[in-house]
Amino acid sequence: MATPTVRRLQLGNEMRHVRIKAGREQAEAADALDAGIGKISRLELGQGGISKGDLKLLLEFYEVDPDEMQWMFELAKTRSSRGRWGEYRAVFPEWFRMYVDLETDAEEIRQVQGEIIPGILQTEGYIRAMDTASARRESEDIDSNVAARQERQAILTRDQPPSLACVLSESCLRRKVGTAEVMRDQIDHLAEMGLQRNVSLQVLPFDVDAPPGGTSYDFTMLRIPSNGIAAPLEFVYVECLDDARYLDAKDAVLTYARLWDRLQAASLSPKESLKVLRSVRNEYSE
C-alpha cells in the first residue's frame, strides 16, 4: 500500500491528466464544484485531499469512464498517518520525510554522490561515525538514527525491490569516515550490494574526462509507478544543509536526466567499479 504522501501525489497526477484529456481548464473544474480555483490547484499538486462526493462530481464532469474511476477513489481514501513519524523515525527532519515516502514507493532510484556514501548503502559503523562528526546531526539519539536509516535500507531486500543505480565519485571511497576498519566494512558492504540483481554501482574515477563540475551536484532521481492512466511520477531530490528541493517539472527532470546519462557514461562499468572497490579496500588494510 502506498504511503499517504505518494497517494496524494498520484491522485493529483491522475486528476491533472484526466482534466487535460477532457479539454477543461482549472477554472471550469472549480466552477463545477462551486469552489475556488485554489482547491483544484492544490488537489492536482498533491497538496490537499478531496471528498468522495466532490471527486465523483469532478470525474463525471471530465466524463471519465466508470471503470477508470475506481483507482482514483482508492487513492482518495483517507487513511490516518498519525504515528508514522513517531519513535525512532522522528529523527528525520520534516523536509526529508517526503523523500522517505517517495523512496519507499519508488520503482527506480538513481543517485549521484560526490563525497559520501549514499545513506541507503551506509553500514552501521559508517552511520555512527558520520553522526559523531556531522555538522547536521539528525538527532542526539544515534541509536535511533541508525534504526531509521536501516529501515530505509530494507526496501532493497524486500519482495519486488526498487532498482537502485548509483554513480559514486572516487572521493566517496577515499573520504575517510571513522576508522580504517569502518571504511573496510563499508566498502565490503558496497561490493556485496553491487552484486545484487537490483543494484548497480559505478565509480567515477578522478582521472576520467567527466562533465565539468558534474559531481559537484549530488542528486537523486526517483520514479514512482502509476496504476492509473497517467504517467509515472518522476522527481529529482536535491539536498542542502538544512533543506531540500523536490523538482517534478519536466524540464528540470530532463536536465538532471541528461546529467545522469553523461556521468554514468563517464563512469567505470559495474565490473570495473568492483575492482576499484577492492583496490581501495586493500589500502585501508595497510
Side-chain angles (χ1 to χ4, degrees), residues 46 92 99 153 184 188 197 215 247:
F92 294 133
Y99 176 83
Q153 295 171 354
R184 288 196 301 270
D188 283 344
R197 294 181 62 183
T215 54
L247 311 175

Side-chain angles (χ1 to χ4, degrees), residues 9 11 21 32 36 51-52 60 71 94 113 131 135 146 163 172 189 234 238 252 262 274 276 283:
L9 291 168
L11 178 61
K21 184 179 179 181
S51 69
K52 183 177 180 179
E60 290 175 347
W71 164 242
E94 289 189 9
Q113 285 288 140
D131 276 5
V146 171
S163 65
C172 296
H189 180 64
E234 292 189 301
V238 183
R262 295 182 66 189
L274 184 58
V276 172
E283 293 177 21

Side-chain angles (χ1 to χ4, degrees), residues 31-206:
D31 287 342
L33 286 186
D34 193 22
I37 193 172
K39 180 173 182 176
I40 304 300
S41 177
R42 289 191 297 273
L43 171 64
E44 294 186 0
L45 290 171
Q47 297 175 349
I50 186 171
S51 69
K52 183 177 180 179
D54 282 352
L55 178 58
K56 186 173 184 294
L57 283 174
L58 272 183
L59 294 177
E60 290 175 347
F61 179 65
Y62 297 149
E63 298 182 343
V64 174
D65 188 296
D67 291 338
E68 297 177 354
M69 291 185 183
Q70 190 56 41
W71 164 242
M72 284 172 271
F73 283 128
E74 283 297 314
L75 291 176
K77 286 182 179 178
T78 302
R79 297 182 177 94
S80 174
S81 59
R82 183 173 297 177
R84 176 170 175 75
W85 302 108
E87 299 180 354
Y88 62 84
R89 300 187 90 238
V91 302
F92 294 133
E94 289 189 9
W95 50 263
F96 186 64
R97 294 175 183 179
M98 180 174 171
Y99 176 83
V100 177
D101 278 348
L102 294 172
E103 182 183 68
T104 299
D105 291 308
E107 64 178 359
E108 179 183 76
I109 303 169
R110 290 177 287 174
Q111 190 163 11
V112 172
Q113 285 288 140
E115 287 292 329
I116 63 171
I117 305 299
I120 200 169
L121 293 172
Q122 292 176 5
T123 62
E124 179 176 343
Y126 193 97
I127 296 169
R128 290 183 181 277
M130 282 284 296
D131 276 5
T132 299
S134 177
R136 187 193 67 194
R137 186 175 299 179
E138 292 174 344
S139 166
E140 295 296 327
D141 185 351
I142 295 181
D143 289 339
S144 292
N145 293 344
V146 171
R149 191 75 55 86
Q150 289 177 332
E151 182 180 287
R152 282 181 54 208
Q153 295 171 354
I155 67 171
L156 295 178
T157 54
R158 72 189 181 194
D159 292 338
Q160 298 183 327
S163 65
L164 171 68
C166 294
V167 168
L168 307 179
S169 167
E170 190 174 338
S171 289
C172 296
L173 311 179
R174 298 191 179 279
R175 179 73 60 198
K176 188 177 179 183
V177 175
T179 64
E181 181 181 7
V182 166
M183 292 304 298
R184 288 196 301 270
D185 289 345
Q186 177 62 70
I187 294 176
D188 283 344
H189 180 64
L190 287 178
E192 179 182 350
M193 292 302 297
L195 296 175
Q196 302 301 309
R197 294 181 62 183
N198 60 311
V199 178
S200 173
L201 301 182
Q202 292 180 255
V203 174
L204 184 65
F206 292 139

